Amino acid sequence: MNAKAGMKKVLKQYGITLVLIALCILFTILNPVFFTLRNIMNVMRQMSMIGIASVGGMFVIIQGGIDLSEGAVVSFVNVVCAYLMMYAGVTPLLAILVSLTVSAAIGYLNGVLVTMAKVPPLIVTLAVQGILYGVSYILTSSHSIAGFPDSFRFIGQGYIGFLPVPVVLMVLVLIIGWFILNKTYFGRYIYAIGGNDDVARLSGIRVDRIRRIVYTLGGFFAGISGIIFLSRLMSGQANTGAGFEMDVLTALVLGGVSINGGSGKIFNAIMGVAIIGVLNNGLVLINVNQHVQEVIKGVVLVAAVAFDCLSKSKSASSES
């Protein structure tokens, strides 16, 4: 019995890491190119954008909400930044700053609608998603925008030492996210609100204000991912972020961030991000059809959410 309990404890603590290792071994067997240094760097570069947006998405989910507008924010920032550089004569630095301000403002709008208008987060962010995609297509007339200054490539394609710039940015954002959640009162408030917002209010926490800040951060981090996408592709496109929010959500749930709010750790979340990065890259290397990839990721998301809900249910039963 003790051995069984010990095994369960090990799986609970290291299960996500074991899954990641197993996937890496599987894809290396199926295609040896997977485990080359060049491809590993490519995986890290690809997962960096999901990782950065996941920090904001993690804040939102822990405090009991959800944000389905992240992919649309990525696309919108992609288009706005490209538009400013090409048609408004704005310098890349100023275009980036304006675009990130816009993405934070979108997040703030989500927070306002959730807290003041009392619209459910799912409806708010789904509606904002549709609006942003629509405006993005209108601005681009369904065409791509290209021809940026060559210096703009550095953000998405450059290196600092041997590490790609997007990976360095992801590490910095992860450190900031870890610090906020674990070393600040603001982080404790996020967990408290997600655990029980009524109790949080009675404890003197300004719940609505915290939620607006959290959604603002979610928009801001998604905006950073949008800038990296634009710099990587060097082409502003209205569909750049299509499906991006599902990758973020799947990564977070895989990483143990409870869809019910109140729990989640940065380290486990980044393991979930790594799994999605490996899965995306590995499926392409073994020539799996894109539509089949979507099916696989959908199944993974449903399984992860079901596992989370069952775990919560068992915990509640054992406590009662």
Side-chain angles (χ1 to χ4, degrees):
M1 189 70 179
N2 289 335
K4 188 177 180 181
M7 180 61 71
K8 284 185 177 180
K9 186 176 180 181
V10 169
L11 288 175
K12 186 174 181 180
Q13 289 183 341
Y14 304 108
I16 187 75
T17 305
L18 294 174
V19 170
L20 177 60
I21 293 171
L23 279 175
C24 289
I25 293 172
L26 174 64
F27 286 128
T28 301
I29 293 171
L30 294 175
N31 190 335
V33 171
F34 177 83
F35 205 63
T36 60
L37 180 60
R38 181 176 181 180
N39 190 61
I40 290 172
M41 285 296 180
N42 188 39
V43 171
M44 292 178 67
R45 195 190 295 269
Q46 290 173 348
M47 66 178 272
S48 64
M49 289 165 284
I50 300 174
I52 290 170
S54 291
V55 173
M58 184 177 181
F59 287 179
V60 172
I61 293 175
I62 288 175
Q63 59 87 44
I66 193 167
D67 188 354
L68 296 181
S69 68
E70 287 176 314
V73 171
V74 166
S75 289
F76 190 65
V77 164
N78 200 273
V79 168
V80 167
C81 190
Y83 193 94
L84 288 172
M85 286 190 287
M86 288 306 301
Y87 301 128
V90 174
T91 64
L93 178 59
L94 182 57
I96 290 170
L97 293 175
V98 171
S99 300
L100 291 179
T101 301
V102 169
S103 69
I106 293 168
Y108 181 76
L109 175 62
N110 285 337
V112 167
L113 291 173
V114 168
T115 58
M116 293 186 176
K118 304 302 179 184
V119 182
L122 179 68
I123 302 301
V124 168
T125 57
L126 194 60
V128 170
Q129 179 193 85
I131 293 168
L132 293 180
Y133 276 129
V135 175
S136 296
Y137 278 105
I138 291 170
L139 287 175
T140 60
S141 299
S142 298
H143 296 99
S144 60
I145 304 173
F148 318 131
D150 199 58
S151 59
F152 187 68
R153 294 179 184 273
F154 179 74
I155 299 172
Q157 302 178 31
Y159 286 82
I160 296 177
F162 67 93
L163 287 175
V165 172
V167 176
V168 174
L169 291 174
M170 179 183 69
V171 171
L172 290 174
V173 169
L174 289 171
I175 291 172
I176 291 170
W178 174 85
F179 182 82
I180 290 174
L181 285 177
N182 294 280
K183 300 296 180 181
T184 67
Y185 283 110
F186 181 75
R188 295 184 195 121
Y189 294 161
I190 293 174
Y191 282 110
I193 292 169
N196 191 315
D197 60 351
D198 289 331
V199 173
R201 289 180 197 278
L202 293 173
S203 301
I205 297 174
R206 300 175 68 177
V207 172
D208 289 346
R209 182 182 180 186
I210 298 296
R211 280 188 167 144
R212 287 194 290 272
I213 295 173
V214 165
Y215 276 103
T216 301
L217 289 172
F220 178 75
F221 287 130
I224 295 175
S225 296
I227 297 296
I228 295 173
F229 261 117
L230 181 61
S231 180
R232 281 197 69 196
L233 301 174
M234 290 299 281
S235 174
Q237 301 173 27
N239 64 346
T240 299
F244 182 78
E245 67 282 346
M246 296 308 294
D247 280 349
V248 171
L249 182 59
T250 304
L252 290 173
V253 177
L254 277 173
V257 179
S258 176
I259 200 71
N260 297 304
S263 65
K265 296 180 180 180
I266 285 287
F267 175 77
N268 289 341
I270 197 59
M271 287 294 102
V273 170
I275 286 176
I276 292 300
V278 166
L279 200 59
N280 285 339
N281 181 267
L283 291 174
V284 170
L285 286 179
I286 61 175
N287 297 315
V288 174
N289 182 280
Q290 184 177 355
H291 300 300
V292 177
Q293 292 182 38
E294 295 302 322
V295 171
I296 292 171
K297 287 190 284 187
V299 170
V300 170
L301 175 58
V302 171
V305 172
F307 179 78
D308 174 58
C309 292
L310 286 173
S311 297
K312 286 281 186 180
S313 178
K314 286 182 179 179
S315 297
S317 298
S318 61
E319 287 175 4
S320 59

